[in-house]
């Protein structure tokens, strides 16, 4: 373990890709991509960022913590909205630069700060690179969520 975080280190590509040591690769800003899906349905809910503290707190508490790049602060998802994300399973990809959280969402079940269940409520139509279309997903509430 190193002094900056509680995670391990891998000495080889083989150990990173197939070993039993969790050694997340944080980028040059100290962040790792976090993909969050519904544990029951598999629905993609959100993609966010975690720094070492957010990842360590997520593992320690069993609830999702992220790093807000726009606010430049640690963020406990659902702390103010009630949309607490309880982690059912946490995985990492083959080169350990992305984590995948399978969660159960409390409150109204939403995850998007503008009121939708998923942050992915619009699509880009084929052949229209500058256009967005709604997917048909309805807002859970009119209020802005965290």
């Amino acid at each position: 373990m190193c002094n900056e975080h509680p995670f391990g280190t891998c000495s080889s590509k083989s150990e990173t890709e197939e070993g039993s040591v969790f050694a997340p690769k944080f980028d040059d800003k100290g962040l790792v991509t976090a993909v969050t899906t519904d544990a029951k349905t598999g629905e993609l809910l959100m993609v966010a960022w975690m720094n070492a503290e957010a990842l360590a707190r997520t593992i320690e508490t069993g609830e999702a913590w992220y790093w807000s790049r726009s606010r430049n602060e640690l963020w406990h998802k659902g702390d103010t909205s009630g949309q607490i994300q309880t982690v059912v399973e946490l995985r990492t990809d083959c080169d350990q630069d992305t984590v995948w959280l399978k969660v159960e969402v409390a409150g109204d079940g939403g995850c998007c700060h503008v009121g939708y269940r998923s942050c992915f409520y619009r699509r880009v139509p084929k052949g229209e690179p500058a256009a967005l279309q709604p997917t048909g997903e309805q807002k859970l509430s009119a209020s802005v969520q965290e």
Side-chain angles (χ1 to χ4, degrees):
M1 293 203 194
C2 73
N3 295 333
E4 296 140 19
H5 55 69
F7 310 112
T9 56
C10 293
S11 58
S12 69
K13 181 178 179 184
S14 174
E15 188 177 11
T16 298
E17 293 178 346
E18 298 192 72
S20 60
V21 175
F22 184 42
K25 286 185 191 172
F26 298 96
D27 68 13
D28 60 346
K29 294 182 176 102
L31 302 173
V32 65
T33 304
V35 177
T36 305
T37 63
D38 183 286
K40 290 182 182 116
T41 67
E43 178 184 12
L44 177 61
L45 299 174
M46 56 186 278
V47 175
W49 298 92
M50 291 181 160
N51 63 4
E53 183 179 1
L55 184 53
R57 283 191 186 195
T58 297
I59 293 167
E60 178 184 318
T61 66
E63 294 180 353
W65 289 76
Y66 301 100
W67 178 257
S68 172
R69 295 180 302 166
S70 61
R71 296 186 310 259
N72 202 36
E73 66 184 17
L74 198 62
W75 159 40
H76 180 212
K77 177 63 177 137
D79 202 30
T80 58
S81 68
Q83 299 168 336
I84 300 286
Q85 295 178 350
T86 301
V87 179
V88 173
E89 184 177 25
L90 192 148
R91 295 185 183 190
T92 191
D93 69 333
C94 55
D95 55 6
Q96 298 197 44
D97 64 358
T98 303
V99 293
W100 174 15
L101 289 77
K102 295 182 180 187
V103 303
E104 293 176 347
V105 184
D108 64 7
C111 290
C112 181
H113 75 281
V114 296
Y116 292 91
R117 172 159 168 72
S118 168
C119 294
F120 295 90
Y121 55 88
R122 298 174 291 178
R123 67 176 146 249
V124 178
K126 185 175 180 177
E128 298 182 47
L132 284 174
Q133 295 176 337
T135 61
E137 186 172 338
Q138 300 297 309
K139 276 194 172 189
L140 297 173
S141 64
S143 64
V144 174
Q145 304 294 318
E146 73 162 44

